[in-house]
Amino acid sequence: MKKFLAVIAILLVIVAVIGGMFLPRTVESIVEQQIVNATSATAVDVSLDAKPNFRIAMGEIDKLHATAAAGRIGEIAFKNLTLDGEKIRLDVMEMLFPNKDLSSQERQKRILKHADKIELRGIVTDEELQNFIADKDKNFENTQVKITPEGATASATGKFLGRTIDIDIAGTFLVQNGDVYFHMTHLNSNSILSRVNVDIFLKDIKVLDSSKLPLGLKFESVELREGEAVVTAVSTVK
């Protein structure tokens, strides 16, 4: 009997050691796949840290750090993305054996049980904003965009009353209800458009939709730099 119990004890130790070695990597891989699904990134580097390490297998993570050289959220491409998290608790069983009856958003809520803070930062270049505006509003052609710390400016040609006109645009980014908008503050033309109320052409264009983000993230701020905008999204779950 004692020998049998000793064998069982040894087997349990072996299972615990193997689980401690492989389950943390499994959780890491699942987190990596979650990021890939949300950002379409082709190369993601994920690092999970907990002391002792086996706690990762139970979904308890002290620190999370992930980077991607490039990715896409919705219709916007990012030059790079960084995800950091602190004191995170995940439902590992839901990650390993997903409930197929749940929607994607419901499953995300079930997976993330707790997080002191999760922060996603990404860089949008003026070239990508240029491509986005050109694709989003077919009234503008030959769009050229420049981002500076003071705001974003653009020049384009457009159609008005059947005529092609030159347009100058100025704007900035606004965060409203967790989503990011490009807000045009100025639109001017030296043609016939200068003789009408151009305010009717000013409108906010939704650039980033937080519903596309994982882990309950919502866009919080946009910092403008020379040639790029740094977008930050955060999440906390208590």
Side-chain angles (χ1 to χ4, degrees):
M1 185 66 176
K2 289 183 179 180
K3 184 179 292 187
F4 175 75
L5 292 176
V7 170
I8 294 298
I10 292 172
L11 289 175
L12 289 174
V13 170
I14 292 173
V15 169
V17 170
I18 293 175
M21 291 174 59
F22 292 102
L23 268 179
R25 178 53 191 157
T26 300
V27 173
E28 192 173 282
S29 297
I30 295 172
V31 171
E32 179 180 318
Q33 190 59 49
Q34 291 275 320
I35 296 171
V36 170
N37 293 342
T39 66
S40 302
T42 55
V44 179
D45 182 25
V46 176
S47 173
L48 306 180
D49 181 63
K51 289 182 175 55
N53 190 60
F54 71 80
R55 289 175 51 235
I56 296 175
M58 298 184 292
E60 297 178 5
I61 301 164
D62 293 333
K63 289 187 178 181
L64 178 155
H65 179 71
T67 59
R72 179 176 292 273
I73 299 175
E75 300 175 66
I76 291 287
F78 285 78
K79 187 169 69 174
N80 60 50
L81 291 162
T82 303
L83 181 70
D84 288 288
E86 297 178 358
K87 301 297 181 183
I88 298 169
R89 191 169 72 252
L90 304 173
D91 187 331
V92 175
M93 294 305 293
E94 180 62 35
M95 295 171 73
L96 292 172
F97 308 104
N99 187 333
K100 296 181 180 179
D101 294 330
L102 296 176
S103 67
S104 177
Q105 288 188 336
E106 289 173 332
R107 183 165 177 255
Q108 287 290 332
K109 291 179 180 178
R110 180 171 292 189
I111 287 175
L112 183 61
K113 309 297 289 185
H114 173 89
D116 278 5
K117 184 176 183 180
I118 300 177
E119 181 177 278
L120 173 70
R121 289 168 62 87
I123 295 176
V124 179
T125 64
D126 46 15
E127 181 181 0
E128 176 51 33
L129 180 60
Q130 175 179 303
N131 295 336
F132 174 80
I133 292 176
D135 291 341
K136 197 70 174 177
D137 197 327
K138 300 303 182 182
N139 293 317
F140 297 145
E141 298 177 352
N142 305 316
T143 307
Q144 299 292 320
V145 172
K146 179 65 176 175
I147 298 176
T148 69
E150 289 72 38
T153 59
S155 61
T157 57
K159 297 290 186 179
F160 181 73
L161 299 178
R163 297 178 58 179
T164 300
I165 59 175
D166 295 322
I167 301 171
D168 292 320
I169 303 166
T172 188
F173 292 93
L174 297 176
V175 179
Q176 297 179 349
N177 300 320
D179 300 325
V180 178
Y181 293 82
F182 178 67
H183 174 65
M184 284 192 286
T185 58
H186 171 78
L187 187 153
N188 186 46
S189 172
N190 58 6
S191 66
I192 187 173
L193 191 59
S194 63
R195 299 197 293 272
V196 301
N197 181 11
V198 297
D199 288 346
I200 62 175
F201 295 92
L202 299 178
K203 60 181 180 179
D204 293 343
I205 302 173
K206 184 182 283 190
V207 178
L208 292 165
D209 188 335
S210 62
S211 67
K212 307 294 183 182
L213 296 174
L215 304 174
L217 286 159
K218 300 287 185 183
F219 292 106
E220 183 182 64
S221 65
V222 180
E223 177 191 355
L224 299 183
R225 300 176 181 175
E226 197 66 36
E228 62 186 27
V230 181
V231 183
T232 302
V234 298
S235 173
T236 57
V237 179
K238 303 298 183 181

